[in-house]
Amino acid sequence: MFDAVQRITLPLPTGPKHVHCYVAEGTLFDTGLGLGEVEWPPVERIAITHMHPDHVGGAAAAAGATGAQVYQGGLDYAQCERVWGSHDWPERIADWFLASGVPPAIAQQLIEQGHAFAPFIRFQHDPALLYEGSELDGWQVVELPGHADGHLGFLRDGVLIAGDHLLGKITPAIGLYPESRPDPLGDYLDSLARTIELAPRIAYPGHGDPIEEPVARARELIAHHRRRLDETEAVLDGEPRNGYDVSLALFGEELGPAQRRFAVAETLSHLERLVREGRAERTGDGAPVSYTGVQLDDDLPPSTSPQGVGA
Ligand SMILES: [Zn+2]
């Protein structure tokens, strides 16, 4: 057994209002948003769970302050460069949302917010890269795609540093984004099944309290998304509906642009999973991309139903 995991909590201006970093035996896991000065303890290495701003945004500053080497997932770093290191990402993501029926005024606000935000995310360039099967000072590196395509977990002696893969009270956002893996919810359900197999005894999440029963929480999250898939399927009828339209039905009409962005991305991840389960069809090669429910013929014997229906 190694020494206790130490938690460092940093403020966030939005959302859960805080993010946790952890230190265990000379390794710092995640670095916060990078707002303000942080008194980092002496560490020999810094490991990043995923490229979202509240985890990677302080990496360059933490590396500068401690002299530690930064480690990040290979796919995660590639996406980090593409999103935070490029000038036209806000336009690319706005185009993508327009193609899902998001009104131009909302897309324009996303572009402006994106350009305002990106310069503050000071990730570490050219980190050492980690992959499934890598080991980092006794920690087993586990790829847990879903919340982010390249999300990593770090497992040692039954302790999982979970990032945002498992959260106690919040449901981690699972969104479909451009230039990303095509079925993030399918990835996430597989990663939750993997978590059940790995059976950690405790998980330390990026937000909220330590998770004392990670396996039970993984099962809850699988059940949650199964319900959400049913609710998403129920919104679809004979008419093609785009992702924005379906998000209005699932999340209501009252969201601001940033919240709408998450709602549309989350809706699209569920729609794409329904397509893969044979429960919906994607229609229209041009914009907007639309989805139609699949009408099952009740007269067919059950063996010919698409896999997953009614399961
Ligand atoms: Zn995240």
Side-chain angles (χ1 to χ4, degrees), residues 33-53:
L33 197 52
L35 295 177
E37 291 283 302
V38 182
E39 283 269 339
W40 298 111
V43 290
E44 289 159 45
R45 60 200 81 76
I46 297 170
I48 304 296
T49 61
H50 66 296
M51 48 73 78
H52 291 166

Side-chain angles (χ1 to χ4, degrees), residues 6 44 93 104 138 157 163 172 177 179 182 187-188 198 211 239 245 254 267 278 301 307:
Q6 179 197 346
E44 289 159 45
I93 202 157
D157 292 342
Y177 290 98
E179 300 166 47
D187 289 340
Y188 189 53
L198 291 168
I211 300 165
E239 295 301 310
D245 195 21
E254 299 300 307
T267 299
Q307 213 195 351

Side-chain angles (χ1 to χ4, degrees), residues 11 24 38 43 76 84 93 110 137 176 212 239 266-267 277:
V38 182
V43 290
D76 196 61
W84 307 124
I93 202 157
L110 288 175
D137 193 49
L176 180 72
E212 308 275 355
E239 295 301 310
E266 185 92 18
T267 299
E277 293 186 2

Side-chain angles (χ1 to χ4, degrees), residues 50 52 54-55 147 164:
H50 66 296
H52 291 166
D54 49 334
H55 298 260
H147 174 71
D164 291 350

Side-chain angles (χ1 to χ4, degrees), residues 14-34:
T14 57
K17 298 282 184 190
H18 74 274
V19 62
H20 301 310
C21 311
Y22 296 97
V23 178
E25 289 202 334
T27 305
L28 167 66
F29 296 92
D30 285 345
T31 60
L33 197 52

Side-chain angles (χ1 to χ4, degrees), residues 189-214:
L189 292 170
D190 289 346
S191 294
L192 290 170
R194 177 96 196 277
T195 306
I196 293 168
E197 272 170 35
L198 291 168
R201 63 185 161 76
I202 189 163
Y204 290 99
H207 313 277
D209 293 331
I211 300 165
E212 308 275 355
E213 295 188 65

Side-chain angles (χ1 to χ4, degrees), residues 23-193:
V23 178
E25 289 202 334
T27 305
L28 167 66
F29 296 92
D30 285 345
T31 60
L33 197 52
L35 295 177
E37 291 283 302
V38 182
E39 283 269 339
W40 298 111
V43 290
E44 289 159 45
R45 60 200 81 76
I46 297 170
I48 304 296
T49 61
H50 66 296
M51 48 73 78
H52 291 166
D54 49 334
H55 298 260
V56 79
T66 60
Q69 167 76 53
V70 175
Y71 294 81
Q72 189 170 0
L75 173 60
D76 196 61
Y77 181 65
Q79 293 195 347
C80 193
E81 279 277 12
R82 208 181 301 149
V83 171
W84 307 124
S86 78
H87 297 292
D88 62 345
W89 178 254
E91 281 78 7
R92 280 185 284 153
I93 202 157
D95 285 348
W96 154 262
F97 278 116
L98 286 170
S100 279
V102 171
I106 294 177
Q108 186 56 39
Q109 280 173 289
L110 288 175
I111 292 175
E112 285 159 19
Q113 285 177 358
H115 283 300
F117 198 49
F120 294 100
I121 299 157
R122 300 200 176 96
F123 63 90
Q124 176 65 49
H125 287 279
D126 301 320
L129 300 181
L130 299 173
Y131 297 91
E132 175 71 39
S134 298
E135 207 200 74
L136 184 65
D137 193 49
W139 294 88
Q140 177 191 351
V141 175
V142 188
E143 291 181 351
L144 297 169
H147 174 71
D149 285 351
H151 198 302
L152 298 183
F154 297 88
L155 186 66
R156 184 172 167 182
D157 292 342
V159 171
L160 178 67
I161 304 294
D164 291 350
H165 166 63
L166 277 189
L167 300 174
K169 294 213 172 76
I170 316 166
T171 305
I174 309 298
L176 180 72
Y177 290 98
E179 300 166 47
S180 301
R181 284 169 62 87
D183 179 23
L185 182 53
D187 289 340
Y188 189 53
L189 292 170
D190 289 346
S191 294
L192 290 170

Side-chain angles (χ1 to χ4, degrees), residues 96-107 109-110 235-236 240-257 259-268 271 288-291:
W96 154 262
F97 278 116
L98 286 170
S100 279
V102 171
I106 294 177
Q109 280 173 289
L110 288 175
V235 172
L236 298 176
R241 302 188 70 173
N242 62 50
Y244 177 72
D245 195 21
V246 177
S247 85
L248 293 178
L250 290 174
F251 291 88
E253 313 204 352
E254 299 300 307
L255 303 179
Q259 290 302 316
R260 179 62 59 196
R261 173 177 181 275
F262 284 108
V264 172
E266 185 92 18
T267 299
L268 289 171
L271 288 166
V289 179
S290 298
Y291 297 83

